[in-house]
Amino acid sequence: MTSSHHHVEEPSYTPPAPPPPPAPKKRRKISKPLMIGISAGIVLALGIGGGAVAYSSNSEKLAEYEDARGLLSTSAEAATDVLDTIGALEPATQEELEEQIAAANSLLEADAPSVMSFDIDDRTSELVDGRSAIRTLVTDLETATESKESYSAAVEDGEELLSSSEELLEKTQDKILDEDAYEKLSGHVEELKNALDEEPDETSADSFAEHASAITSASDAIDGSTSAVSTSHDEWVVAEEEKANRAPSNYKTISERDWQLVERDPDSYEGEKYVLYGVVTQADAMTGDATIRVNTGPVQQSRRYEYDVNTMVLAGASDVFSDVVQDDHVKMLVEVNGSLTYDTTIGGSASAVMALAYDVEVIGEF
């Protein structure tokens, strides 16, 4: 049996069409009055913030202005006080200061700026500059016053020094070893007199300073000369005392009886000056260069035992015993200096008249 096959054709595939695009949305329009309102709000917000910053900054500047105003007021008042006490000194500077005070008062009398002012910095600078100008001029006048005060002090010290120097010259006239020192002091005294006699210009600080310098210079010169004159006078006094101590006319010649009274109570005759003779009983290493022991009497004797008053004699002048040895027969110019008790070499003690010898003459030996 024969079978038959039939061929069936399948239909072809067609893709679906894409969906149509959505319709565009219409953008909503903002009305013009609304836009204007938003812009105005932004501008208003910015304006308020900037104003707050400016207000805060100006408040600080206004405080600085008030501080500067207070300082200028104080300086102007102080400057006025200076002008009231300055006298005739530096008139040009005074005039300039008066002008600055007037300008300062104008600034002080003006109304203060407000917190919203734009010129606070400039007005503060005017106050600061005005105070600086016043302070500079006041300082100049204070310096001028110091020059005048220094001059016054120099005059006071100079007059005192002049007085004492003139007294010294009077005291030491013809009583000085160094005549050149005396003449130099006399010259410096004249210079100081002249400096003190010169009158400074009462309006000039420089004049006061120059005169003070001249007085100080002359005073300094006197100080050095005064020392030299005083020293030379002291040397003259010593020389005169030594001369007087060596002058026989200043010593008494007494009797044996008078000397026995001295021996009995030397302290009652302290300071009395006598001519004595004697024999040196000790002048060795024990007594040294400044002391000798002498048996003395007021009259020159020919035998040593006739001198019987034990006397401890001290050097009243340098080298007075340089040529004296034991057993010398001497003539002495002495000043009684009281009594002396001393230990002897054998263990006992002895009493002696103590005297200062200003001149010793060896007239022989025993």
Side-chain angles (χ1 to χ4, degrees):
M1 178 176 193
T2 307
S3 55
S4 312
H5 296 281
H6 296 278
H7 179 71
V8 182
E9 292 183 0
E10 297 181 2
S12 62
Y13 176 75
T14 303
K25 293 181 179 180
K26 290 184 178 180
R27 186 174 293 177
R28 184 180 176 185
K29 286 188 177 181
I30 299 176
S31 65
K32 188 173 183 180
L34 181 60
M35 284 296 293
I36 294 173
I38 292 172
S39 299
I42 293 172
V43 171
L44 182 61
L46 291 174
I48 291 173
V53 172
Y55 182 87
S56 175
S57 174
N58 275 7
S59 294
E60 294 177 0
K61 292 179 178 179
L62 195 58
E64 293 175 358
Y65 168 87
E66 291 298 337
D67 288 342
R69 190 175 186 278
L71 291 173
L72 177 59
S73 177
T74 301
S75 295
E77 290 176 3
T80 301
D81 292 339
V82 169
L83 288 175
D84 289 340
T85 60
I86 198 68
L89 196 58
E90 296 297 330
T93 304
Q94 289 192 54
E95 183 178 352
E96 187 176 353
L97 180 56
E98 288 172 351
E99 293 173 357
Q100 290 295 336
I101 292 174
N105 288 333
S106 296
L107 293 175
L108 294 171
E109 290 168 0
D111 292 335
S114 71
V115 73
M116 299 305 293
S117 298
F118 293 103
D119 62 347
I120 298 177
D121 286 339
D122 293 338
R123 295 188 61 181
T124 300
S125 295
E126 289 178 338
L127 297 174
V128 171
D129 292 344
R131 178 171 181 259
S132 177
I134 286 176
R135 285 170 60 87
T136 297
L137 294 170
V138 167
T139 298
D140 291 343
L141 291 179
E142 288 175 341
T143 301
T145 302
E146 290 173 359
S147 295
K148 184 176 181 179
E149 291 173 348
S150 296
Y151 166 78
S152 298
V155 168
E156 184 177 352
D157 293 342
E159 289 176 343
E160 182 177 346
L161 181 60
L162 179 62
S163 176
S164 62
S165 299
E166 288 178 331
E167 289 178 4
L168 179 62
L169 287 173
E170 183 178 355
K171 172 186 174 183
T172 60
Q173 187 174 12
D174 300 325
K175 298 177 181 178
I176 189 170
L177 298 181
D178 187 353
E179 291 295 337
D180 289 341
Y182 187 90
E183 292 302 321
K184 185 177 292 185
L185 176 58
S186 297
H188 292 320
V189 165
E190 287 302 315
E191 290 175 5
L192 180 56
K193 279 183 180 179
N194 293 334
L196 290 170
D197 288 341
E198 291 288 335
E199 293 290 340
D201 178 357
E202 291 288 335
T203 67
S204 171
D206 289 341
S207 179
F208 280 114
E210 290 171 3
H211 282 74
S213 178
I215 292 172
T216 300
S217 178
S219 297
D220 290 344
I222 282 182
D223 283 336
S225 298
T226 298
S227 177
V229 169
S230 296
T231 299
S232 184
H233 174 67
D234 291 341
E235 293 171 348
W236 178 88
V237 169
V238 171
E240 288 297 305
E241 288 177 351
E242 291 179 354
K243 187 186 299 184
N245 287 332
R246 293 179 180 273
S249 59
N250 292 324
Y251 293 83
K252 299 176 183 177
T253 299
I254 59 174
S255 65
E256 291 280 3
R257 183 177 183 280
D258 290 337
W259 185 233
Q260 288 175 5
L261 291 173
V262 175
E263 178 190 18
R264 195 166 72 180
D265 186 11
D267 294 333
S268 296
Y269 294 87
E270 186 171 352
E272 292 293 326
K273 294 183 176 182
Y274 302 122
V275 178
L276 293 180
Y277 297 86
V279 58
V280 178
T281 58
Q282 185 178 6
D284 54 23
M286 294 293 293
T287 57
D289 295 333
T291 308
I292 58 174
R293 191 160 60 87
V294 186
N295 286 344
T296 61
V299 179
Q300 183 174 347
Q301 305 293 339
S302 58
R303 299 179 181 85
R304 64 182 298 159
Y305 62 82
E306 292 179 307
Y307 295 119
D308 56 0
V309 177
N310 186 24
T311 307
M312 192 66 71
V313 184
L314 310 179
S318 60
D319 299 329
V320 70
F321 299 143
S322 59
D323 293 328
V324 177
V325 297
Q326 188 169 319
D327 297 326
D328 276 348
H329 190 190
V330 293
K331 176 183 178 181
M332 301 181 296
L333 303 179
V334 303
E335 177 182 342
V336 177
N337 201 33
S339 61
L340 175 69
T341 300
Y342 60 95
D343 296 330
T344 64
T345 56
I346 60 175
S349 63
S351 296
V353 177
M354 186 164 60
L356 294 174
Y358 292 101
D359 187 72
V360 178
E361 176 187 354
V362 177
I363 55 178
E365 59 179 329
F366 289 106

